[in-house]
Amino acid sequence: MKSINPDDFKVTDKITLSKIPTELKIDADDDEKEEKLDKVSSKLSSFQDVMYAHNRYSVLICLQGMDTSGKDSLIREVFKEFNARGVVVHSFKTPNSTELEHDYLWRHYLALPEKGKFAVFNRTHYENVLVTRVHPEYIMYENLPGIDNVSNITPEFWKKRFEQINNFEKHIVKNGTIVMKFFLNMSKEEQRKRLLHRLDNQVDNWKFSTGDLKERELWDNYMSCYEDAINNTSTNHAPWYIIPADDKEMARYIVAKIIWEEMQKLTDIKEPELDDKVKENMKLYREQLEKE
């Protein structure tokens, strides 16, 4: 199977989403993709164990995509080999009353990973420039100074939010958090098929929501907002990767492979060595234990 190069998916210049393919044509069946994913996932798990002992870096994985784009299953499959202590998943829903009493980034700060751990944001702080931009009336719940009605929400408002998000990410990166952001780029036709699957298969009926159909009607609006958000917030320190997501198995492998390749750049991560005094007394400690 063709080797995956992270740079092929990284956003380094202005993009037009409609020109980016939603499927990667590759000569491999699902079994081969799953086998490749299992190997990478296992290596990531071992790497996280070392990172935990090293205790200087944390990793934040941000996943965005339209409904049915495969975020949940990607998380399950990519991180299934991890020690439970090593990865925490946060699925951000509509802000509750407590969260609305703080600025919109507050709840995301609280969910940031501890040193040595991975955190996965399933839907992220970018919802604040995506859903709220498609539905600007939601901004009114934030009770912001100078925003008395929707007409007060100008293009400058969104420009400032992009700047605030960039500053948020720059701050956490400077303090040891590795940030990688993935947009699961699924076609509208593929979403239609997946929604039909939820209707036609009883075991998946519970996943279907009439709200999905309402949001689907706003597809073009969402794509425009995603494009603008990605173009304004893909940076060297916190890059966006656009992942072709019509093939779920392939999307999972690509994401895992990118994470693995990027983590290999952190050559200073290694297991800590024993203290010299401990090394000198290893024989004594062994004797003490063997006497018990």
Side-chain angles (χ1 to χ4, degrees):
M1 188 165 74
K2 178 184 177 183
S3 179
I4 298 300
N5 182 353
D7 289 341
D8 291 341
F9 306 93
K10 183 186 289 188
V11 176
T12 57
D13 205 349
K14 298 295 181 184
I15 56 97
T16 302
L17 273 179
S18 62
K19 295 181 179 179
I20 299 177
T22 59
E23 186 173 6
L24 181 64
K25 300 296 183 181
I26 196 163
D27 185 22
D29 59 26
D30 288 348
D31 288 341
E32 185 177 356
K33 296 169 195 171
E34 290 177 9
E35 182 181 351
K36 290 279 189 181
L37 172 59
D38 288 345
K39 289 180 179 179
V40 178
S41 180
S42 180
K43 290 194 291 185
L44 279 172
S45 174
S46 297
F47 179 87
Q48 188 275 319
D49 285 338
V50 177
M51 192 178 80
Y52 185 84
H54 187 249
N55 198 38
R56 291 202 173 188
Y57 293 100
S58 58
V59 179
L60 175 61
I61 304 298
C62 297
L63 297 178
Q64 285 286 162
M66 296 292 284
D67 294 320
T68 78
S69 60
K71 298 182 293 296
D72 291 334
S73 60
L74 185 149
I75 293 168
R76 181 185 68 239
E77 296 301 323
V78 170
F79 298 97
K80 64 184 177 183
E81 298 292 336
F82 275 55
N83 187 312
R85 74 180 181 185
V87 59
V88 181
V89 179
H90 299 276
S91 297
F92 292 100
K93 308 294 185 182
T94 301
N96 61 36
S97 58
T98 299
E99 291 166 342
L100 286 169
E101 289 301 312
H102 300 268
D103 73 272
Y104 69 95
L105 287 173
W106 177 76
R107 63 177 181 161
H108 303 288
Y109 267 110
L110 295 180
L112 289 173
E114 301 171 26
K115 290 179 180 178
K117 295 187 178 183
F118 277 63
V120 183
F121 284 5
N122 181 0
R123 296 190 183 276
T124 71
H125 44 293
Y126 283 93
E127 293 289 285
N128 298 287
V129 290
L130 292 168
V131 174
T132 54
R133 197 166 183 184
V134 174
H135 300 281
E137 64 273 16
Y138 294 170
I139 291 292
M140 303 311 299
Y141 293 114
E142 296 184 27
N143 199 27
L144 296 171
I147 306 296
D148 299 317
N149 52 65
V150 172
S151 64
N152 297 139
I153 305 172
T154 64
E156 185 64 22
F157 175 89
W158 300 114
K159 183 178 179 181
K160 287 181 179 179
R161 284 224 159 168
F162 292 142
E163 181 181 353
Q164 291 158 4
I165 288 173
N166 283 332
N167 288 337
F168 163 66
E169 293 173 351
K170 188 174 184 179
H171 170 72
I172 63 176
V173 167
K174 284 188 173 181
N175 284 275
T177 300
I178 311 303
V179 178
M180 284 175 265
K181 303 174 296 195
F182 298 92
F183 171 59
L184 301 184
N185 187 28
M186 173 186 62
S187 67
K188 191 175 183 181
E189 171 60 16
E190 180 62 23
Q191 188 195 55
R192 185 184 71 85
K193 293 177 182 178
R194 293 180 186 180
L195 288 172
L196 283 171
H197 177 83
R198 290 181 177 182
L199 288 172
D200 295 339
N201 291 269
Q202 188 174 359
V203 70
D204 290 325
N205 284 168
W206 66 272
K207 297 180 182 179
F208 183 81
S209 167
T210 56
D212 293 341
L213 297 180
K214 292 179 181 178
E215 295 302 283
R216 179 175 166 78
E217 292 176 0
L218 301 169
W219 182 277
D220 291 342
N221 198 351
Y222 270 106
M223 291 301 104
S224 176
C225 292
Y226 266 111
E227 185 176 298
D228 201 26
I230 291 170
N231 281 332
N232 279 280
T233 60
S234 192
T235 60
N236 289 333
H237 56 271
W240 275 102
Y241 297 87
I242 299 180
I243 308 301
D246 281 0
D247 180 337
K248 284 188 177 183
E249 287 77 13
M250 195 65 212
R252 295 166 190 162
Y253 172 61
I254 293 171
V255 169
K257 182 68 170 176
I258 289 173
I259 296 172
W260 170 250
E261 294 292 343
E262 291 303 308
M263 298 310 296
Q264 294 311 289
K265 296 177 181 178
L266 301 174
T267 56
D268 59 323
I269 295 181
K270 57 187 69 175
E271 291 178 343
E273 293 187 9
L274 286 174
D275 181 88
D276 288 341
K277 187 175 181 180
V278 175
K279 287 182 180 179
E280 291 173 3
N281 292 283
M282 291 278 279
K283 184 177 180 181
L284 174 63
Y285 301 144
R286 176 177 288 278
E287 290 174 353
Q288 289 178 347
L289 288 167
E290 289 176 344
K291 288 178 182 177
E292 293 182 3

